[in-house]
Amino acid sequence: MTDPRIERLAALLTDYSLALRAGQVLRIDSLDAGSPLVLSLYEAALRAGALPYTNVDLPGLTESLLQLGSDEQLTYLSPIQWQEIEELDALVTIWSEANTRALSRVEPDRHAAYIAAQRKLSNRRWQRISAGEMSWCGTLFPTNAHAQEAEMSLAEYEDFVYAACHVHEKDPASHWRAVSTELQRRAAELGSVRELRIVGPDTDLRLGVDGRSWLAADGRYNMPDGEVFTSPVETETEGEIRYTFPAVYHGREVEDVRLRFEEGRVVAAEAARGNAYLQSLLEMDAGARVLGEAAFGLNYEIDRFTRNILFDEKIGGTMHFALGSGFPETGSENTSGLHWDMICDLRSEGEVYADGELIWKEGRFLAEPALEVVESGVRGS
Amino acid sequence: MVPRYLERLAGVLVDYSTGVREGDLVCIDTGPAAAPLVREIWRHVLEAGGHPHLRLDVDGAPELLLREGSDEQLAWVSPLRREEVQRSDVRIAIEAEVNTRANSRVHPERQARAERARDALRRIHFARVSSGDLRYVVTLFPTPAAAQDAEMSLSEYENFVIRAGLLDRDDPRGEWEALGRAYAGLATRLDARKEIRVVGDGTDLSLGVEGRKWIPCAGRENFPDGEVFTGPIETKVDGTIRFTYPAGYAGRRIGGVELEFRAGEVVRARADEGEEFLREMLAVDEGARRAGEFSFGLNEAVSEFTGHTLFDEKIGGTVHLALGASYPESGGKVESALHWDFVCDLRNGSEVYADGELIYRDGRFLDGLL
């Protein structure tokens, strides 16, 4: 029997996240472990009158390409893939790994070459998404591998994932519409702030955000979701920060990262574990030492670190600050090959000041956002 | 299947059947149950310098479409499917059903609609195979569902599949090449004939084959294989044929089929099981009422009925006839969205005559022909 939460998640994705309409072409990408959600989604899309099809992968194939492929094979993009992108109206990516560490021993150079080639396709996809020509949402189907990463049983992890998506309740879409309204209000309010100051254990960081837009991540591109984010002014970050959670980049963990910024750039960095990796990533390019993102995690159903950025960056009561590329739509000018989200837990001792005024304490905003609804930005009905 | 045979099967499919070369775009078309074989094929394709591309249907999705889809949805062909058929250099299709009867309760009319929708793709596929632009092979990965149809345990069925593909021999590829030469000799001898007449229990059918080409099949497009077929002249099929074995098609089974032809066209059709579906399929289009293929099954390692056309039509000592599309390389001109094979066992005293001369009795060609 199908878990009703899977069906609700499928309906939430088609009705709310993608707002899928009749006649639209939807591709569903997943590994075979995600089949229950693939099928539910396929059914929901059929009911919406859309034209869905599935693109399912098997564990082990990418691994074998990375092991055996010639340089040409590694970087090959088929005409099938290029043509498909042009014809999609909507795409769902379901992450459902059978082994989250399967690629740990792949030669880094070969992996990088593969990723760089794949990025050409995803760049074109993002172009079409940004132009409003297609929609995309990424979500996760709980597997034992993800549960293991989170140090939970599969049943516990399922409860965690579905609660984070609010599909443990009957009408998740109305929950997300309410979240969207609240996040839009919060983003609008933060838009008038000139400087943020974050104070916590070993942390006192000032960010210039004057003139930058804040955006609400409200379940359109990710499910679950729940953050407001901007890209800080590139030259104005000052002070120190200590990241409580391990910072993960391409499956490798760096623990207890401490950074010191002057005039927007990292001038000192150290980590208790993985320090060499941290230093090498900071050297990637000029933009790698500059913050590309500052964000408040506001999904309070997500209450613990699970080693998966889809969830971790939204943990209610945390902030994350990413080194590397920023978001042009917020006004950012920082470009880099890096975008590394690092998460700072502010739930026990953190404070955030906006232009000197305390707005956030122990993981919560002190006041509800002002009632200036930006209607046009609210997804609706 | 034990890894040794999976590896052999993958090797034969990639190196022999489709001859994958450097730079080939190779589409592997299957379901999740075939994952162990897919991994082996994937590896072989990479080693041969090809670019493997996986096309995996989630179990249950096709049934959902047939059950829930609107007319528009049923008639729609995804860009992925279309591009795969148009752009692949090689397609390796692996049947790996988890339930061979999943569509039993779908309305036949809806299935006919879905068949018609795929017709354009099928034409492109056939045309590209015929011109040599696309190398194609279809095989089967043994699943419990297929074993169930064969009334065997999974391991018995796996052994059957291994034997049928000659994968238990030291040099399967060499064996298939030798069979290919023998089949080619038979085909040349049949090419000289004008009319074939099949006489057996409930069967007396004449087929005009003058000027048509007989095609030897030794593991290139089907694996396992073992047949020599042609496309009969479209207006020259006359008489009655009663098929011995039930015929599976599109997730259903139809049994006790009897067809009467006049001037190439089915004028009477009945079935003990699934007659409504048979009628619906005959009405798919004009070509569905004609015999697009007539063939001798020649694989002596396949001797029993297992409920799957890929194997049943190869049983040494049978003939089969397909309703619908012919293969252009045989000279056949039937165009149809349908291609449905029915198998007739001739190992029971049946006879085949070529231009009035007895050439085949009790399931075997007379001396010197094969």
Side-chain angles (χ1 to χ4, degrees):
Chain A
M1 220 177 77
T2 317
D3 185 332
R5 298 174 297 183
I6 298 175
E7 288 176 7
R8 280 188 216 123
L9 177 55
L12 180 65
L13 290 166
T14 54
D15 302 348
Y16 174 81
S17 303
L18 303 173
L20 197 63
R21 297 188 305 275
Q24 287 193 316
V25 174
L26 165 70
R27 190 177 87 189
I28 304 164
D29 287 359
S30 180
L31 277 159
D32 63 338
S35 292
L37 180 56
V38 172
L39 273 186
S40 283
L41 200 52
Y42 187 78
E43 186 167 3
L46 284 175
R47 294 214 164 120
L51 302 169
Y53 67 101
T54 60
N55 179 36
V56 175
D57 195 6
L58 290 171
L61 301 186
T62 304
E63 202 180 322
S64 147
L65 176 63
L66 289 169
Q67 267 167 20
L68 300 172
S70 64
D71 291 350
E72 194 221 342
Q73 286 170 320
L74 268 186
T75 54
Y76 176 79
L77 300 167
S78 83
I80 297 173
Q81 293 171 295
W82 281 115
Q83 184 57 35
E84 262 188 291
I85 290 189
E86 301 302 321
E87 298 188 38
L88 298 179
D89 298 309
L91 175 66
V92 171
T93 303
I94 300 169
W95 293 293
S96 56
E97 297 288 342
N99 172 359
T100 58
R101 306 289 174 97
L103 303 182
S104 303
R105 284 156 197 255
V106 166
E107 271 178 56
D109 290 357
R110 293 172 59 77
H111 199 188
Y114 172 76
I115 291 171
Q118 294 296 315
R119 193 168 289 144
K120 292 183 199 162
L121 275 177
S122 65
N123 285 348
R124 174 62 191 139
R125 198 167 71 215
W126 277 108
Q127 255 177 21
R128 293 199 65 226
I129 294 167
S130 311
E133 293 166 8
M134 70 178 277
S135 56
W136 173 78
C137 188
T139 190
L140 177 140
F141 182 76
T143 61
N144 268 311
H146 291 293
Q148 181 173 325
E149 215 42 278
E151 297 178 351
M152 292 184 209
S153 73
L154 180 58
E156 287 163 350
Y157 190 64
E158 285 169 344
D159 289 346
F160 166 79
V161 169
Y162 296 133
C165 298
H166 268 267
V167 294
H168 59 313
E169 297 170 343
K170 276 260 160 57
D171 185 8
S174 70
H175 167 83
W176 284 104
R177 279 191 286 272
V179 167
S180 181
T181 306
E182 191 193 333
L183 295 184
Q184 304 275 356
R185 285 175 182 158
R186 184 68 71 191
E189 192 179 68
L190 288 167
S192 60
V193 174
R194 292 191 304 277
E195 187 200 68
L196 282 182
R197 179 175 167 216
I198 295 94
V199 182
D202 299 315
T203 296
D204 190 343
L205 191 73
R206 290 167 189 271
L207 309 171
V209 291
D210 193 12
R212 295 295 161 98
S213 313
W214 287 77
L215 298 176
D218 58 2
R220 277 171 293 178
Y221 295 138
N222 280 181
M223 184 53 67
D225 214 339
E227 57 172 298
V228 290
F229 64 96
T230 192
S231 300
V233 177
E234 287 70 17
T235 52
E236 294 181 8
T237 308
E238 297 279 348
E240 293 176 344
I241 184 163
R242 179 177 183 181
Y243 292 99
T244 5
F245 293 126
V248 185
Y249 190 74
H250 280 282
R252 288 178 70 170
E253 283 183 22
V254 179
E255 275 174 32
D256 198 14
V257 174
R258 295 170 191 235
L259 304 176
R260 189 152 57 80
F261 288 86
E262 276 171 24
E263 292 178 359
R265 302 181 61 76
V266 173
V267 292
E270 63 170 316
R273 207 178 125 239
N275 190 49
Y277 189 52
L278 169 66
Q279 303 302 335
S280 72
L281 289 173
L282 285 168
E283 291 302 318
M284 185 183 284
D285 51 37
R289 286 183 177 268
V290 176
L291 286 187
E293 181 186 1
F296 291 93
L298 298 168
N299 187 331
Y300 291 92
E301 298 292 347
I302 306 177
D303 58 0
R304 67 196 99 168
F305 186 70
T306 59
R307 289 191 174 72
N308 185 320
I309 196 66
L310 177 66
F311 298 89
D312 296 339
E313 65 176 5
K314 288 123 189 169
I315 298 172
T318 61
M319 287 191 76
H320 58 278
F321 306 95
L323 287 173
S325 64
F327 301 101
E329 59 270 42
T330 63
S332 170
E333 288 159 12
N334 197 43
T335 56
S336 173
L338 189 74
H339 182 95
W340 187 7
D341 288 300
M342 300 185 190
I343 301 152
C344 193
D345 193 354
L346 301 176
R347 288 176 295 186
S348 49
E349 296 177 51
E351 288 175 342
V352 178
Y353 297 84
D355 300 326
E357 181 196 345
L358 183 68
I359 59 164
W360 161 289
K361 194 170 164 55
E362 291 168 7
R364 303 237 172 214
F365 283 105
L366 296 180
E368 290 296 305
L371 289 177
E372 296 163 24
V373 186
V374 189
E375 280 295 350
S376 62
V378 177
R379 280 176 76 77
S381 134
Chain B
M1 259 169 126
V2 299
R4 175 164 44 120
Y5 292 116
L6 277 179
E7 215 268 322
R8 269 191 198 181
L9 176 54
V12 171
L13 294 171
V14 172
D15 302 329
Y16 170 74
S17 303
T18 56
V20 173
R21 297 185 291 259
E22 201 172 323
D24 278 341
L25 177 52
V26 181
C27 178
I28 304 163
D29 198 335
T30 189
L37 179 57
V38 170
R39 289 196 189 93
E40 284 300 317
I41 292 175
W42 189 272
R43 204 166 57 74
H44 272 88
V45 170
L46 286 171
E47 281 166 358
H51 304 296
H53 166 92
L54 178 65
R55 201 289 176 235
L56 201 70
D57 242 335
V58 189
D59 294 321
E63 290 97 282
L64 267 176
L65 178 65
L66 286 168
R67 208 174 69 214
E68 306 272 343
S70 65
D71 289 355
E72 187 205 0
Q73 288 167 328
L74 279 177
W76 182 72
V77 174
S78 84
L80 178 59
R81 267 270 181 249
R82 194 194 58 229
E83 293 300 316
E84 281 165 355
V85 171
Q86 286 177 341
R87 311 245 190 188
S88 302
D89 301 300
V90 170
R91 277 182 80 200
I92 299 175
I94 309 161
E95 299 189 23
E97 289 178 282
V98 294
N99 175 353
T100 61
R101 312 294 169 82
N103 296 340
S104 301
R105 283 150 200 269
V106 171
H107 197 287
E109 203 273 325
R110 293 172 64 76
Q111 258 179 301
R113 193 179 288 276
E115 290 293 319
R116 278 191 288 268
R118 283 197 285 273
D119 191 32
L121 282 191
R122 202 167 339 215
R123 278 166 203 266
I124 297 169
H125 171 90
F126 274 122
R128 292 195 64 221
V129 169
S130 208
S131 70
D133 282 350
L134 173 65
R135 283 160 284 145
Y136 170 73
V137 67
V138 57
T139 190
L140 174 141
F141 180 79
T143 59
Q148 183 171 324
D149 272 345
E151 298 181 346
M152 293 183 194
S153 72
L154 180 59
S155 69
E156 286 163 350
Y157 189 66
E158 286 174 344
N159 286 329
F160 163 79
V161 170
I162 288 162
R163 284 195 309 273
L166 310 179
L167 298 171
D168 55 341
R169 314 287 173 89
D170 291 338
D171 177 17
R173 181 179 174 158
E175 301 263 353
W176 282 109
E177 280 167 344
L179 281 174
R181 287 189 292 273
Y183 297 162
L186 173 64
T188 307
R189 288 182 271 282
L190 290 171
D191 279 342
R193 304 294 187 162
K194 298 191 180 71
E195 190 202 63
I196 299 289
R197 181 174 165 218
V198 184
V199 183
D201 183 24
T203 294
D204 188 344
L205 187 75
S206 298
L207 307 114
V209 292
E210 189 179 4
R212 294 297 159 94
K213 198 156 173 42
W214 290 82
I215 310 286
C217 301
R220 306 269 181 196
E221 293 183 23
N222 280 188
F223 197 89
D225 212 339
E227 61 173 299
V228 172
F229 77 89
T230 194
I233 294 169
E234 290 64 32
T235 53
K236 291 195 177 165
V237 183
D238 286 279
T240 303
I241 184 161
R242 183 192 289 166
F243 298 103
T244 326
Y245 301 128
Y249 195 76
R252 288 177 186 263
R253 183 185 268 204
I254 287 79
V257 174
E258 210 177 285
L259 301 175
E260 186 183 337
F261 286 87
R262 203 173 297 153
E265 201 171 354
V266 174
V267 292
R268 195 176 58 84
R270 59 167 306 280
D272 294 338
E273 181 192 351
E275 187 167 302
E276 190 198 354
F277 183 71
L278 175 63
R279 286 185 198 293
E280 202 61 60
M281 288 299 125
L282 282 166
V284 159
D285 51 33
E286 187 63 27
R289 305 184 74 83
R290 299 197 180 264
E293 178 194 356
F294 176 81
S295 180
F296 290 96
L298 301 170
N299 188 330
E300 297 296 333
V302 185
S303 60
E304 55 191 316
F305 174 73
T306 56
H308 199 290
T309 303
L310 182 67
F311 294 90
D312 295 338
E313 66 175 11
K314 312 299 187 320
I315 298 173
T318 62
V319 292
H320 61 275
L321 180 144
L323 289 175
S326 42
Y327 298 98
E329 59 268 37
S330 67
K333 295 180 175 62
V334 180
E335 292 195 351
S336 174
L338 191 74
H339 181 97
W340 189 2
D341 294 288
F342 297 91
V343 183
C344 187
D345 192 355
L346 301 184
R347 294 171 295 182
N348 48 7
S350 304
E351 294 171 331
V352 178
Y353 298 85
D355 300 333
E357 178 194 344
L358 182 70
I359 59 164
Y360 182 105
R361 185 193 290 140
D362 275 340
R364 287 191 172 267
F365 280 95
L366 302 187
D367 287 348
L369 285 165
L370 176 62

mmCIF file with all atom_site columns, all heavy atoms in Angstrom, chain A residues 152-164:
data_model
loop_
_atom_site.group_PDB
_atom_site.id
_atom_site.type_symbol
_atom_site.label_atom_id
_atom_site.label_alt_id
_atom_site.label_comp_id
_atom_site.label_asym_id
_atom_site.label_entity_id
_atom_site.label_seq_id
_atom_site.pdbx_PDB_ins_code
_atom_site.Cartn_x
_atom_site.Cartn_y
_atom_site.Cartn_z
_atom_site.occupancy
_atom_site.B_iso_or_equiv
_atom_site.pdbx_formal_charge
_atom_site.auth_seq_id
_atom_site.auth_comp_id
_atom_site.auth_asym_id
_atom_site.auth_atom_id
_atom_site.pdbx_PDB_model_num
ATOM 1   N N   . MET A 1 152 ? 19.846 7.817  11.348 1.00 0.00 ? 152 MET A N   1
ATOM 2   C CA  . MET A 1 152 ? 18.479 7.480  11.762 1.00 0.00 ? 152 MET A CA  1
ATOM 3   C C   . MET A 1 152 ? 18.112 6.137  11.139 1.00 0.00 ? 152 MET A C   1
ATOM 4   O O   . MET A 1 152 ? 18.746 5.699  10.187 1.00 0.00 ? 152 MET A O   1
ATOM 5   C CB  . MET A 1 152 ? 17.478 8.511  11.215 1.00 0.00 ? 152 MET A CB  1
ATOM 6   C CG  . MET A 1 152 ? 17.583 9.895  11.798 1.00 0.00 ? 152 MET A CG  1
ATOM 7   S SD  . MET A 1 152 ? 16.258 10.928 11.108 1.00 0.00 ? 152 MET A SD  1
ATOM 8   C CE  . MET A 1 152 ? 17.059 12.519 11.182 1.00 0.00 ? 152 MET A CE  1
ATOM 9   N N   . SER A 1 153 ? 17.043 5.536  11.662 1.00 0.00 ? 153 SER A N   1
ATOM 10  C CA  . SER A 1 153 ? 16.450 4.387  10.973 1.00 0.00 ? 153 SER A CA  1
ATOM 11  C C   . SER A 1 153 ? 15.672 4.930  9.783  1.00 0.00 ? 153 SER A C   1
ATOM 12  O O   . SER A 1 153 ? 15.369 6.123  9.722  1.00 0.00 ? 153 SER A O   1
ATOM 13  C CB  . SER A 1 153 ? 15.503 3.634  11.904 1.00 0.00 ? 153 SER A CB  1
ATOM 14  O OG  . SER A 1 153 ? 14.321 4.398  12.090 1.00 0.00 ? 153 SER A OG  1
ATOM 15  N N   . LEU A 1 154 ? 15.357 4.043  8.836  1.00 0.00 ? 154 LEU A N   1
ATOM 16  C CA  . LEU A 1 154 ? 14.606 4.509  7.662  1.00 0.00 ? 154 LEU A CA  1
ATOM 17  C C   . LEU A 1 154 ? 13.250 5.085  8.076  1.00 0.00 ? 154 LEU A C   1
ATOM 18  O O   . LEU A 1 154 ? 12.839 6.131  7.581  1.00 0.00 ? 154 LEU A O   1
ATOM 19  C CB  . LEU A 1 154 ? 14.427 3.371  6.642  1.00 0.00 ? 154 LEU A CB  1
ATOM 20  C CG  . LEU A 1 154 ? 13.652 3.738  5.376  1.00 0.00 ? 154 LEU A CG  1
ATOM 21  C CD1 . LEU A 1 154 ? 14.313 4.895  4.622  1.00 0.00 ? 154 LEU A CD1 1
ATOM 22  C CD2 . LEU A 1 154 ? 13.512 2.527  4.454  1.00 0.00 ? 154 LEU A CD2 1
ATOM 23  N N   . ALA A 1 155 ? 12.582 4.413  9.019  1.00 0.00 ? 155 ALA A N   1
ATOM 24  C CA  . ALA A 1 155 ? 11.260 4.892  9.442  1.00 0.00 ? 155 ALA A CA  1
ATOM 25  C C   . ALA A 1 155 ? 11.362 6.274  10.094 1.00 0.00 ? 155 ALA A C   1
ATOM 26  O O   . ALA A 1 155 ? 10.544 7.160  9.829  1.00 0.00 ? 155 ALA A O   1
ATOM 27  C CB  . ALA A 1 155 ? 10.619 3.890  10.400 1.00 0.00 ? 155 ALA A CB  1
ATOM 28  N N   . GLU A 1 156 ? 12.385 6.462  10.924 1.00 0.00 ? 156 GLU A N   1
ATOM 29  C CA  . GLU A 1 156 ? 12.578 7.784  11.551 1.00 0.00 ? 156 GLU A CA  1
ATOM 30  C C   . GLU A 1 156 ? 12.871 8.841  10.487 1.00 0.00 ? 156 GLU A C   1
ATOM 31  O O   . GLU A 1 156 ? 12.367 9.962  10.542 1.00 0.00 ? 156 GLU A O   1
ATOM 32  C CB  . GLU A 1 156 ? 13.763 7.740  12.532 1.00 0.00 ? 156 GLU A CB  1
ATOM 33  C CG  . GLU A 1 156 ? 13.483 7.002  13.817 1.00 0.00 ? 156 GLU A CG  1
ATOM 34  C CD  . GLU A 1 156 ? 14.781 6.637  14.561 1.00 0.00 ? 156 GLU A CD  1
ATOM 35  O OE1 . GLU A 1 156 ? 15.886 6.781  13.991 1.00 0.00 ? 156 GLU A OE1 1
ATOM 36  O OE2 . GLU A 1 156 ? 14.665 6.185  15.699 1.00 0.00 ? 156 GLU A OE2 1
ATOM 37  N N   . TYR A 1 157 ? 13.693 8.445  9.534  1.00 0.00 ? 157 TYR A N   1
ATOM 38  C CA  . TYR A 1 157 ? 14.083 9.393  8.496  1.00 0.00 ? 157 TYR A CA  1
ATOM 39  C C   . TYR A 1 157 ? 12.886 9.777  7.626  1.00 0.00 ? 157 TYR A C   1
ATOM 40  O O   . TYR A 1 157 ? 12.723 10.940 7.257  1.00 0.00 ? 157 TYR A O   1
ATOM 41  C CB  . TYR A 1 157 ? 15.213 8.801  7.654  1.00 0.00 ? 157 TYR A CB  1
ATOM 42  C CG  . TYR A 1 157 ? 15.848 9.797  6.719  1.00 0.00 ? 157 TYR A CG  1
ATOM 43  C CD1 . TYR A 1 157 ? 16.523 10.911 7.214  1.00 0.00 ? 157 TYR A CD1 1
ATOM 44  C CD2 . TYR A 1 157 ? 15.758 9.649  5.338  1.00 0.00 ? 157 TYR A CD2 1
ATOM 45  C CE1 . TYR A 1 157 ? 17.103 11.835 6.361  1.00 0.00 ? 157 TYR A CE1 1
ATOM 46  C CE2 . TYR A 1 157 ? 16.334 10.561 4.474  1.00 0.00 ? 157 TYR A CE2 1
ATOM 47  C CZ  . TYR A 1 157 ? 17.003 11.656 4.992  1.00 0.00 ? 157 TYR A CZ  1
ATOM 48  O OH  . TYR A 1 157 ? 17.572 12.575 4.140  1.00 0.00 ? 157 TYR A OH  1
ATOM 49  N N   . GLU A 1 158 ? 12.049 8.781  7.327  1.00 0.00 ? 158 GLU A N   1
ATOM 50  C CA  . GLU A 1 158 ? 10.828 9.078  6.560  1.00 0.00 ? 158 GLU A CA  1
ATOM 51  C C   . GLU A 1 158 ? 9.972  10.105 7.311  1.00 0.00 ? 158 GLU A C   1
ATOM 52  O O   . GLU A 1 158 ? 9.487  11.073 6.719  1.00 0.00 ? 158 GLU A O   1
ATOM 53  C CB  . GLU A 1 158 ? 10.016 7.801  6.321  1.00 0.00 ? 158 GLU A CB  1
ATOM 54  C CG  . GLU A 1 158 ? 10.623 6.901  5.263  1.00 0.00 ? 158 GLU A CG  1
ATOM 55  C CD  . GLU A 1 158 ? 9.964  5.520  5.210  1.00 0.00 ? 158 GLU A CD  1
ATOM 56  O OE1 . GLU A 1 158 ? 9.249  5.146  6.167  1.00 0.00 ? 158 GLU A OE1 1
ATOM 57  O OE2 . GLU A 1 158 ? 10.189 4.822  4.219  1.00 0.00 ? 158 GLU A OE2 1
ATOM 58  N N   . ASP A 1 159 ? 9.814  9.883  8.621  1.00 0.00 ? 159 ASP A N   1
ATOM 59  C CA  . ASP A 1 159 ? 9.032  10.842 9.414  1.00 0.00 ? 159 ASP A CA  1
ATOM 60  C C   . ASP A 1 159 ? 9.647  12.238 9.329  1.00 0.00 ? 159 ASP A C   1
ATOM 61  O O   . ASP A 1 159 ? 8.944  13.235 9.188  1.00 0.00 ? 159 ASP A O   1
ATOM 62  C CB  . ASP A 1 159 ? 8.965  10.400 10.888 1.00 0.00 ? 159 ASP A CB  1
ATOM 63  C CG  . ASP A 1 159 ? 8.084  9.165  11.072 1.00 0.00 ? 159 ASP A CG  1
ATOM 64  O OD1 . ASP A 1 159 ? 7.336  8.822  10.129 1.00 0.00 ? 159 ASP A OD1 1
ATOM 65  O OD2 . ASP A 1 159 ? 8.156  8.543  12.153 1.00 0.00 ? 159 ASP A OD2 1
ATOM 66  N N   . PHE A 1 160 ? 10.969 12.268 9.422  1.00 0.00 ? 160 PHE A N   1
ATOM 67  C CA  . PHE A 1 160 ? 11.693 13.540 9.370  1.00 0.00 ? 160 PHE A CA  1
ATOM 68  C C   . PHE A 1 160 ? 11.474 14.245 8.029  1.00 0.00 ? 160 PHE A C   1
ATOM 69  O O   . PHE A 1 160 ? 11.122 15.426 7.968  1.00 0.00 ? 160 PHE A O   1
ATOM 70  C CB  . PHE A 1 160 ? 13.185 13.260 9.615  1.00 0.00 ? 160 PHE A CB  1
ATOM 71  C CG  . PHE A 1 160 ? 14.097 14.398 9.279  1.00 0.00 ? 160 PHE A CG  1
ATOM 72  C CD1 . PHE A 1 160 ? 14.241 15.473 10.141 1.00 0.00 ? 160 PHE A CD1 1
ATOM 73  C CD2 . PHE A 1 160 ? 14.826 14.391 8.090  1.00 0.00 ? 160 PHE A CD2 1
ATOM 74  C CE1 . PHE A 1 160 ? 15.091 16.530 9.821  1.00 0.00 ? 160 PHE A CE1 1
ATOM 75  C CE2 . PHE A 1 160 ? 15.671 15.433 7.763  1.00 0.00 ? 160 PHE A CE2 1
ATOM 76  C CZ  . PHE A 1 160 ? 15.807 16.512 8.627  1.00 0.00 ? 160 PHE A CZ  1
ATOM 77  N N   . VAL A 1 161 ? 11.663 13.502 6.937  1.00 0.00 ? 161 VAL A N   1
ATOM 78  C CA  . VAL A 1 161 ? 11.554 14.091 5.594  1.00 0.00 ? 161 VAL A CA  1
ATOM 79  C C   . VAL A 1 161 ? 10.127 14.580 5.334  1.00 0.00 ? 161 VAL A C   1
ATOM 80  O O   . VAL A 1 161 ? 9.911  15.707 4.878  1.00 0.00 ? 161 VAL A O   1
ATOM 81  C CB  . VAL A 1 161 ? 11.967 13.064 4.508  1.00 0.00 ? 161 VAL A CB  1
ATOM 82  C CG1 . VAL A 1 161 ? 11.609 13.568 3.112  1.00 0.00 ? 161 VAL A CG1 1
ATOM 83  C CG2 . VAL A 1 161 ? 13.452 12.756 4.610  1.00 0.00 ? 161 VAL A CG2 1
ATOM 84  N N   . TYR A 1 162 ? 9.163  13.728 5.646  1.00 0.00 ? 162 TYR A N   1
ATOM 85  C CA  . TYR A 1 162 ? 7.785  14.098 5.308  1.00 0.00 ? 162 TYR A CA  1
ATOM 86  C C   . TYR A 1 162 ? 7.264  15.222 6.203  1.00 0.00 ? 162 TYR A C   1
ATOM 87  O O   . TYR A 1 162 ? 6.460  16.050 5.750  1.00 0.00 ? 162 TYR A O   1
ATOM 88  C CB  . TYR A 1 162 ? 6.875  12.859 5.343  1.00 0.00 ? 162 TYR A CB  1
ATOM 89  C CG  . TYR A 1 162 ? 7.268  11.840 4.283  1.00 0.00 ? 162 TYR A CG  1
ATOM 90  C CD1 . TYR A 1 162 ? 7.390  10.484 4.587  1.00 0.00 ? 162 TYR A CD1 1
ATOM 91  C CD2 . TYR A 1 162 ? 7.540  12.242 2.975  1.00 0.00 ? 162 TYR A CD2 1
ATOM 92  C CE1 . TYR A 1 162 ? 7.762  9.565  3.611  1.00 0.00 ? 162 TYR A CE1 1
ATOM 93  C CE2 . TYR A 1 162 ? 7.918  11.330 2.005  1.00 0.00 ? 162 TYR A CE2 1
ATOM 94  C CZ  . TYR A 1 162 ? 8.023  9.992  2.327  1.00 0.00 ? 162 TYR A CZ  1
ATOM 95  O OH  . TYR A 1 162 ? 8.393  9.092  1.372  1.00 0.00 ? 162 TYR A OH  1
ATOM 96  N N   . ALA A 1 163 ? 7.740  15.274 7.448  1.00 0.00 ? 163 ALA A N   1
ATOM 97  C CA  . ALA A 1 163 ? 7.349  16.409 8.300  1.00 0.00 ? 163 ALA A CA  1
ATOM 98  C C   . ALA A 1 163 ? 7.967  17.693 7.761  1.00 0.00 ? 163 ALA A C   1
ATOM 99  O O   . ALA A 1 163 ? 7.319  18.745 7.734  1.00 0.00 ? 163 ALA A O   1
ATOM 100 C CB  . ALA A 1 163 ? 7.789  16.166 9.745  1.00 0.00 ? 163 ALA A CB  1
ATOM 101 N N   . ALA A 1 164 ? 9.215  17.609 7.304  1.00 0.00 ? 164 ALA A N   1
ATOM 102 C CA  . ALA A 1 164 ? 9.877  18.798 6.758  1.00 0.00 ? 164 ALA A CA  1
ATOM 103 C C   . ALA A 1 164 ? 9.117  19.333 5.541  1.00 0.00 ? 164 ALA A C   1
ATOM 104 O O   . ALA A 1 164 ? 9.074  20.539 5.308  1.00 0.00 ? 164 ALA A O   1
ATOM 105 C CB  . ALA A 1 164 ? 11.320 18.468 6.378  1.00 0.00 ? 164 ALA A CB  1
#
